[in-house]
Amino acid sequence: MYNFNFQNPTQIIFGKDRLDEISKHIPEGVKVLILFGGGSAKKYGTLEKVKTSLPKRVLFEFGGIEPNPRYETLMKAVELVKKHEIEFLLAVGGGSVIDGTKFISMASTCSEHESLTLLHRGAGAIPITKALPIGVVLTLPATGSEMNAFAVISHGDSKYAVMSPLTYPKFSILDPSLTFTLPATQVANGVADAFVHVIEQYVTFPVNASFQDSMAEGILRNLIEIGRKTIDNPADYDLRANLMWNATMALNGLVGSGVPQDWSVHTIGHELTALFGVDHAKSLAIVLPSLWQIRKEKKRKKLIRFAEKVWGIDEENDEIKIDLAISKTREFFESLGIKTRLSDYGILDTDIDKVIYGLKSKGFNALSETNDLTLDISRKILENAL
Ligand code: NZQ
Ligand code: ZN
């Protein structure tokens, strides 16, 4: 196992009917900006409940944070924060609202020029020494953003990942009943996204990390078990609760501590979202099976373990075992209603150049846990995914 530091400061407040506890976590008299997305939080009453739970604070609202939140939108919120000297940010939504709020929390403490540098070159490129405190009310289990320090922000034809430990939410309210209103496609996205988060931290090469491996396998098996059931039984609280907690644990640092990580599927997938508007999780379901087919020798040992421990494949021949694990994973995504081919989304072989250009322009020419996934290999993966 590699050396590692692990610290996760986010307090999780999990369960039914706990929205009114927000007031315990935001001091009285504070100016709070409540951030939300395109309308679901308003439509289903969550926003109103949040406001009612926060008397004796000065409340401001900023709505309209879009899926794959855009820099320009977020900078409008930054303007509001600066103008009213907001002291606390409360995100009510899924990964896009939470990520957007994290970016706003940092950008509010710097100039516009610095905000753009922060976006393009990361938090290390400018001296970010403070960020506004963040609280979260999660409405979509998927990204793990409610308990990590990452934000993925769109600008132009690109998505940028920004990370600063200053943006861990102070608290996150995880009430599974707030997810009853999700459309089936978003539930499926959440299952697939959480699944691939674990995969990116697990299907690499072995470093004898038994806790991390077992934990990863447990989450993957859980997601396989509850994924379709949650879509088919939308009013089942226990399924919602398990999906929510598995998704949070999939990307809060625990599974990935002390082990190699890959993130190639996400990096290539982000280009597909930025260029063609494919939902984040769907982009991953396209890239993952194809990447494994091309890279199965590199990931051989972990793919064999994944086949045995996650899919329970009992087969003598390792080649067949690996191929079966890959096809079962593809079938799993398809069973959730997620298509796994570029052509299913109208993306053609003539579009692949654009993806490669996007990767190249950001310097993504040495991806993977072994830094040897070149642009040529990315091209092969995309061609194989057509
Ligand atoms: O905008 P509204 O009207 O609120 O509707 C949203 C949105 O259209 C809707 N929704 C959310 N909660 C709902 C609901 N509809 C009904 N009932 C509810 N309770 O769902 C739609 C999608 O929301 P979004 O927040 O975009 O989805 P998700 O949580 O999947 O987030 C995706 C974003 O997270 C980034 C992705 O790149 C993408 O931008 N990621 C962030 C990560 C992180 N911070 O660690 C890691 C991930 O790999 C990912 O890259
Ligand atoms: Zn993801």
Side-chain angles (χ1 to χ4, degrees):
M1 198 188 312
Y2 297 162
N3 292 354
F4 66 89
N5 290 13
F6 177 76
Q7 182 179 23
N8 190 314
T10 301
Q11 180 175 169
I12 296 294
I13 301 152
F14 192 100
K16 253 179 238 176
D17 303 328
R18 305 202 57 188
L19 268 185
D20 53 358
E21 290 178 41
I22 299 181
S23 62
K24 288 189 198 160
H25 302 277
I26 304 178
E28 283 186 9
V30 158
K31 288 184 187 170
V32 181
L33 178 60
I34 304 173
L35 300 112
F36 53 98
S40 74
K42 227 177 199 165
K43 185 172 166 192
Y44 299 115
T46 311
L47 191 67
E48 210 41 53
K49 284 188 204 151
V50 166
K51 290 198 297 191
T52 314
S53 307
L54 284 173
K56 301 185 192 152
R57 281 87 180 164
V58 189
L59 301 182
F60 297 81
E61 287 177 32
F62 185 87
I65 298 181
E66 56 280 88
N68 308 300
R70 298 206 63 83
Y71 172 79
E72 293 79 3
T73 307
L74 305 176
M75 290 308 285
K76 288 187 191 142
V78 169
E79 223 176 281
L80 197 71
V81 168
K82 288 183 176 172
K83 182 170 165 205
H84 296 287
E85 299 180 339
I86 302 285
E87 299 161 283
F88 198 99
L89 302 177
L90 182 60
V92 181
S96 295
V97 173
I98 306 169
D99 285 8
T101 301
K102 288 175 180 172
F103 187 77
I104 294 161
S105 87
M106 290 185 278
S108 297
T109 68
C110 51
S111 69
E112 203 172 328
H113 174 71
E114 285 171 330
S115 300
L116 206 54
T117 309
L118 166 71
L119 180 71
H120 290 159
R121 292 178 43 215
I126 53 162
I128 298 257
T129 51
K130 54 184 183 347
L132 287 182
I134 296 170
V136 168
V137 175
L138 182 67
T139 64
L140 198 176
T143 63
S145 188
E146 63 279 9
M147 200 180 176
N148 70 37
F150 301 109
V152 183
I153 309 299
S154 298
H155 187 225
D157 273 350
S158 295
K159 291 187 85 169
Y160 297 90
V162 187
M163 192 275 174
S164 164
L166 296 170
T167 65
Y168 275 104
K170 301 287 170 225
F171 67 86
S172 284
I173 300 205
L174 272 54
D175 178 346
S177 57
L178 296 179
T179 70
F180 285 144
T181 54
L182 280 169
T185 184
Q186 294 301 342
V187 179
N189 282 353
V191 174
D193 193 19
F195 190 91
V196 181
H197 291 159
V198 176
I199 292 289
E200 303 260 43
Q201 303 166 87
Y202 164 68
V203 180
T204 54
F205 54 85
V207 292
N208 202 2
S210 65
F211 173 79
Q212 295 89 324
D213 282 347
S214 309
M215 177 98 171
E217 287 150 6
I219 297 174
L220 294 171
R221 282 195 301 268
N222 293 344
L223 292 169
I224 291 165
E225 193 190 325
I226 64 177
R228 184 69 230 178
K229 277 191 203 162
T230 311
I231 296 170
D232 292 340
N233 302 281
D236 187 317
Y237 177 83
D238 285 335
L239 287 170
R240 298 286 184 173
N242 281 303
L243 176 54
M244 194 171 245
W245 191 225
N246 275 282
T248 299
M249 294 302 283
L251 193 53
N252 68 354
L254 208 53
V255 168
S257 290
V259 297
Q261 301 195 12
D262 187 344
W263 299 105
S264 310
V265 177
H266 271 71
T267 307
I268 300 172
H270 282 169
E271 296 299 320
L272 297 177
T273 301
L275 289 165
F276 310 111
V278 179
D279 284 357
H280 171 63
K282 296 188 170 79
S283 77
L284 309 176
I286 298 169
V287 178
L288 179 70
S290 176
L291 183 140
W292 277 350
Q293 282 167 337
I294 303 288
R295 301 276 287 178
K296 59 183 169 186
E297 279 316 312
K298 286 266 161 202
K299 292 179 178 287
R300 186 179 178 83
K301 287 191 178 145
K302 279 315 241 338
L303 276 173
I304 292 171
R305 186 178 161 131
F306 168 70
E308 290 167 356
K309 303 269 186 188
V310 175
W311 288 112
I313 297 170
D314 179 18
E315 161 63 56
E316 293 262 302
N317 181 310
D318 284 345
E319 294 315 312
I320 299 178
K321 203 183 267 179
I322 291 173
D323 288 344
L324 269 175
I326 298 174
S327 57
K328 277 182 173 290
T329 303
R330 185 188 292 281
E331 281 160 23
F332 169 58
F333 293 142
E334 297 270 353
S335 79
L336 299 171
I338 297 180
K339 298 281 181 207
T340 58
R341 295 272 172 198
L342 285 172
S343 48
D344 294 323
Y345 299 86
I347 301 169
L348 309 171
D349 51 354
T350 46
D351 292 319
I352 290 177
D353 275 347
K354 292 178 209 158
V355 183
I356 298 299
Y357 179 80
L359 290 169
K360 191 175 176 181
S361 65
K362 288 177 219 80
F364 293 139
N365 53 5
L367 301 176
S368 92
E369 66 275 28
T370 41
N371 300 319
D372 59 351
L373 199 160
T374 60
L375 290 171
D376 283 346
I377 301 173
S378 288
R379 182 184 290 281
K380 275 194 196 130
I381 291 166
L382 290 159
E383 285 169 354
N384 187 46
L386 278 166

